[in-house]
Amino acid sequence: MTAEAMVPVPYRVAGRVVETADSVTVRLEPVGEPVPEARLGQFMMLYAPGIGEVAISVSGPGPMHTIRAVGAVSRALHDLTPGRVVGVRGPYGTSWDVEDAAGHDVVIVAGGAGLCPLRPVLTAVLADRVRYRRLVVVAGARTPAEFLFPHELAAWARRHDVEVLRTVDRPAEGWTGPVGFVTEPLSALELDPAATRAFLCGPEPMMRACAEILLAKEVPAAAIRVSLERAMKCGIGLCGHCQLGPLLVCRDGPVVDYTVAGPLLAVKEL
Amino acid sequence: MTSDGTVTIDLAGLGGLVDALIRDGYRVIGPTVRDDAIVLAELDSAEQLPAGWGVTTGPGRYRLRRREDRAVFGHSAGPQGWKRYLHPPRRKLLEATADGRFTAGEPDRTRYAFLGVRGCDLAAIAVLDRVLGGGAHPDGSYRRRRAELFVVAANCTEPGEVCFCASMGTGPAAGPGYDLALTERIDGDGHRFIVDVGSPDGARLLAQVGTQPARGAEVRAAREAVAAAADRMGRVMPAVDLPSVIRESRESPLWEEVASRCLTCANCTMVCPTCFCTTTEDVTDLSGEHAERHQRWASCFELDFSYVHGGSVRTSGASRYRQWFSHKLGTWHEQFGMSGCVGCGRCIAWCPAGIDITEEAAKLAGGCS
Ligand SMILES: Cc1cc2nc3c(=O)[nH]c(=O)nc-3n(C[C@H](O)[C@H](O)[C@H](O)COP(=O)(O)OP(=O)(O)OC[C@H]3O[C@@H](n4cnc5c(N)ncnc54)[C@H](O)[C@@H]3O)c2cc1C
Ligand code: SF4
Ligand code: SF4
Ligand code: FES
């Protein structure tokens, strides 16, 4: 690839599902040549013409992206109606090594939008359920109305072969589940530490706290994977924005194991 | 020619070399005096080289001075690196239309010839080659310019007060990567340049210029003068394992101490010949029918640089100085397998607070041992 590595290809919004008050899932289809298919946990750079470009995880096949409107670019992407064109570059970054979890217990911990890059992990494990042992999903949201993929979460919760633990920071009318951070249900879990593979995504303090709990339960750091978030402008190791110590998160991440992430996340403002 | 093929050219020969490069379609970039500094600019002839000018440098200090001779390469690094031609401060990445066509900015087809590239700066180009041209998704704009580049290196015999390339292993002799390398000599035999040929292109260009065979003794003297320059540098980088020293110093009080002096002005990053960071800017015309995306140099000293929705990761000056310093001398090794610093000393001379990267490294190394 060349300078053209920084030039997106056009995709059309083919479907749009409202998830919460500020999040939607869009399905994209290529206008011309498609980009390669993403591996679990990878991200694309999505370009809203004239507004800007941001890193967005692939949350499902198509590709699908789940976008929370928090600033100018994400708002523009969030507001796109079917038929509109966006620019797509990617897929970039490292991926969740779900193969490595075969024959193991799988623990997925997601805080808020952290569920976006983890949804493909769940889908993959469920598609080949017999190859994995226990499957636990711990999902947190600020309020009950802010869970992403609420129908899917409910459908997974109804299955006998998945344990879904949902918790909210603040309750609302009708919520009968637990109130508190994802750390609470995670702490209460009885794990077989040597046979556990954990996949974590959410705000950094959440990932650190969860990793500490898992480490205290004697899950090895190498069996804990986290997906990191840093400012990204290029997504391909050229702009320097996403530095985290020795890592260029766009190139060496976003998924890294906790032997690497742990010492870095412990340093303030690194 | 001597047995190793070394030749000399005189000032007229240097002029001939510049002319030959221009005839060949190159834009020749070299040092020239402007605004009380030796800057890089396009040269029409060798006459524009800074004959008889030297510089005096120190922490936060850079002054032109008259030399006693008419040396054209008798000055150490000026504020600009060659980076600005290979990795320009601003360029158009793409244009977009409302109906969703994205086209790359027009590629720059300029063929540059750089005249007077020092060892440190040639090493800096090698760093950029690795960072911008050597990854899985290389910067095509950089690669195109780089592929066309012709390099006339200048071996250094007069290092300055802020130079420390010898301790970085990047000078004073220009390493591989040049087409031609000159060693300037002024003595009883006159003003001339010992020429080493580094590539077939270099040989082809040199064939268009009047050359004299170099005498063995003269070549030896030139080599010795370059080697001796290693001992006359104003500074050294401490000979310790900097990446691990820095890794172990993430929580050092030194960062707060430097931050009390650092203005986070980003000068050090702008003058550094290896700093490559950029950001993007999006613009639209009023109708919204046409959008453009530009890339421009950015710096880890800018507060916005680490902005993720909600706030910046590195808000304190201490964390931003730590990021810069740790990247140059430490994590660059992990990311690209080499140091991000080539010892040119520009960041020392152009820091308004006179902060000295070698001094800070020495403090850190001392504090760790
Ligand atoms: C690997 C990865 C995966 C991600 N996946 C998802 C996902 O699946 N879904 C999702 O919704 N989000 C995701 N994000 C977050 C996403 O990339 C954006 O950061 C987020 O959407 C905010 O973008 P924004 O421009 O709308 O927000 P803003 O808050 O406006 O700004 C974010 C970006 O714009 C620039 N910016 C805006 N304002 C300023 C300012 N005042 N000063 C400096 N810079 C500014 C910054 O450079 C910054 O990068 C992911 C991020 C990463 C790194
Ligand atoms: S860090 Fe300073 S001395 Fe090192 S290459 Fe950059 S400007 Fe030159
Ligand atoms: S170290 Fe010096 S040049 Fe660099 S940001 Fe601080 S004050 Fe500016
Ligand atoms: S986002 Fe540009 S280097 Fe990682």
Side-chain angles (χ1 to χ4, degrees):
Chain A
M1 268 204 254
T2 52
E4 298 67 43
M6 289 293 284
V7 177
V9 298
Y11 269 64
R12 193 173 291 115
V13 177
R16 182 175 186 272
V17 176
V18 175
E19 300 281 351
T20 69
D22 62 1
S23 305
V24 294
T25 297
V26 293
R27 187 168 53 80
L28 301 177
E29 64 184 23
V31 172
E33 273 294 294
V35 298
E37 200 168 324
R39 287 175 290 130
L40 314 179
Q42 285 193 300
F43 64 94
M44 305 278 189
M45 296 301 293
L46 296 191
Y47 171 56
I51 317 267
E53 194 182 41
V54 286
I56 302 285
S57 303
V58 175
S59 65
M64 264 182 227
H65 294 282
T66 304
I67 299 151
R68 201 171 134 224
V70 294
V73 184
S74 52
R75 165 65 58 192
L77 292 169
H78 170 279
D79 291 349
L80 286 173
T81 47
R84 298 299 300 275
V85 172
V86 293
V88 175
R89 295 193 288 126
Y92 298 135
T94 55
S95 56
W96 305 108
D97 188 359
V98 78
E99 245 334 281
D100 175 62
H104 291 75
D105 292 343
V106 176
V107 176
I108 291 174
V109 188
L115 196 52
C116 304
L118 284 167
R119 182 165 83 152
V121 175
L122 253 152
T123 315
V125 171
L126 289 175
D128 212 359
R129 187 67 189 87
V130 292
R131 294 181 62 225
Y132 301 86
R133 302 192 344 179
R134 201 174 157 199
L135 174 59
V136 186
V137 181
V138 185
R142 277 180 303 197
T143 64
E146 285 175 81
F147 277 107
L148 295 173
F149 322 120
H151 304 299
E152 265 167 305
L153 272 177
W156 293 327
R158 282 193 296 274
R159 289 174 68 132
H160 67 281
D161 57 355
V162 190
E163 295 160 60
V164 177
L165 307 168
R166 275 166 293 184
T167 177
V168 294
D169 300 354
R170 291 192 306 276
E173 203 154 333
W175 178 256
T176 52
V179 175
F181 296 128
V182 286
T183 44
E184 291 175 29
L186 186 65
S187 298
L189 272 184
E190 296 264 357
L191 295 178
D192 175 358
T196 296
R197 291 287 183 274
F199 301 93
L200 276 46
C201 186
E204 272 176 29
M206 178 221 108
M207 291 194 287
R208 271 187 73 198
C210 292
E212 294 302 326
I213 290 167
L214 292 166
L215 291 171
K217 289 180 187 289
E218 290 177 3
V219 176
I224 304 171
R225 317 251 149 83
V226 299
S227 181
L228 300 167
E229 184 175 348
R230 277 292 175 279
M232 286 189 184
K233 289 293 177 189
C234 72
I236 50 176
L238 297 176
C239 78
H241 275 263
C242 65
Q243 308 233 11
L244 173 62
L247 308 178
L248 287 171
V249 172
C250 67
R251 182 192 78 175
D252 309 318
V255 178
V256 295
D257 79 46
Y258 209 68
T259 53
V260 174
L264 303 175
L265 295 183
V267 184
K268 203 168 152 263
E269 295 191 69
L270 192 65
Chain B
M1 283 203 194
T2 56
S3 51
D4 70 347
T6 313
V7 299
T8 67
I9 57 176
D10 57 13
L11 267 182
L14 185 63
L17 180 61
V18 172
D19 296 342
L21 286 165
I22 292 172
R23 266 202 313 278
D24 234 42
Y26 287 104
R27 270 181 75 184
V28 178
I29 309 296
T32 192
V33 172
R34 187 179 294 168
D35 301 331
D36 295 322
I38 291 175
V39 300
L40 297 177
E42 181 165 4
L43 306 181
D44 302 325
S45 80
E47 306 272 292
Q48 291 159 303
L49 289 167
W53 289 101
V55 297
T56 309
T57 54
R61 196 156 44 84
Y62 177 95
R63 296 269 177 285
L64 272 188
R65 67 176 164 79
R66 272 279 172 208
R67 293 177 56 91
E68 281 164 14
D69 58 25
R70 299 281 297 158
V72 295
F73 299 126
H75 54 270
S76 51
Q80 301 152 328
W82 306 87
K83 170 177 94 174
R84 63 185 307 100
Y85 297 97
L86 295 172
H87 177 54
R90 188 176 160 87
R91 83 186 166 88
K92 190 192 289 180
L93 285 178
L94 69 98
E95 292 186 27
T97 56
D99 59 348
R101 268 175 300 126
F102 309 121
T103 35
E106 197 51 37
D108 178 0
R109 300 280 176 207
T110 311
R111 297 168 72 220
Y112 288 109
F114 291 170
L115 179 59
V117 181
R118 272 145 225 286
C120 57
D121 279 345
L122 194 54
I125 293 171
V127 173
L128 293 180
D129 286 349
R130 180 76 62 89
V131 173
L132 297 177
H137 304 279
D139 175 336
S141 158
Y142 178 86
R143 288 244 288 221
R144 260 192 297 269
R145 290 162 210 253
R146 183 65 179 92
E148 294 290 335
L149 180 66
F150 189 95
V151 175
V152 183
N155 288 313
C156 186
T157 51
E158 293 208 37
E161 183 54 31
V162 296
C163 294
F164 59 99
C165 68
S167 60
M168 300 307 293
T170 59
Y178 57 77
D179 295 289
L180 297 171
L182 310 178
T183 310
E184 188 167 25
R185 300 294 287 160
I186 303 176
D187 56 24
D189 295 334
H191 190 171
R192 66 213 184 284
F193 305 85
I194 315 293
V195 189
D196 291 296
V197 177
S199 75
D201 252 2
R204 185 176 57 76
L205 253 297
L206 195 60
Q208 302 177 40
V209 177
T211 60
Q212 298 275 315
R215 286 174 292 110
E218 159 170 72
V219 174
R220 269 194 305 283
R223 304 259 188 269
E224 276 161 23
V226 176
D231 300 325
R232 286 190 285 110
M233 310 226 162
R235 279 169 171 60
V236 286
M237 189 55 84
V240 296
D241 177 3
L242 278 170
S244 57
V245 165
I246 292 166
R247 205 177 306 122
E248 279 147 32
S249 309
R250 285 182 185 137
E251 314 272 11
S252 164
L254 179 96
W255 309 118
E256 286 296 339
E257 191 282 310
V258 191
S260 68
R261 291 176 283 139
C262 172
L263 313 171
T264 66
C265 68
N267 270 16
C268 51
T269 57
M270 294 296 124
V271 297
C272 180
T274 66
C275 273
F276 61 89
C277 290
T278 55
T279 197
T280 47
E281 286 169 350
D282 291 280
V283 288
T284 37
D285 64 9
L286 287 175
S287 68
E289 291 298 305
H290 176 88
E292 287 183 4
R293 159 157 266 251
H294 295 262
Q295 181 187 61
R296 66 158 176 82
W297 286 358
S299 166
C300 54
F301 279 97
E302 296 165 30
L303 186 55
D304 290 359
F305 193 75
S306 62
Y307 185 93
V308 283
H309 51 105
S312 293
V313 174
R314 293 185 282 273
T315 50
S316 69
S319 68
R320 282 178 274 153
Y321 184 86
R322 176 180 65 189
Q323 168 59 30
W324 180 71
F325 181 98
S326 307
H327 190 217
K328 288 278 109 161
L329 299 173
T331 52
W332 208 295
H333 286 275
E334 286 150 299
Q335 293 171 357
F336 303 109
M338 66 209 304
S339 176
C341 173
V342 295
C344 70
R346 288 184 176 91
C347 57
I348 307 172
W350 299 90
C351 172
I355 295 170
D356 176 343
I357 189 170
T358 63
E359 200 180 293
E360 301 308 324
K363 279 192 230 163
L364 214 54
C368 264
S369 58

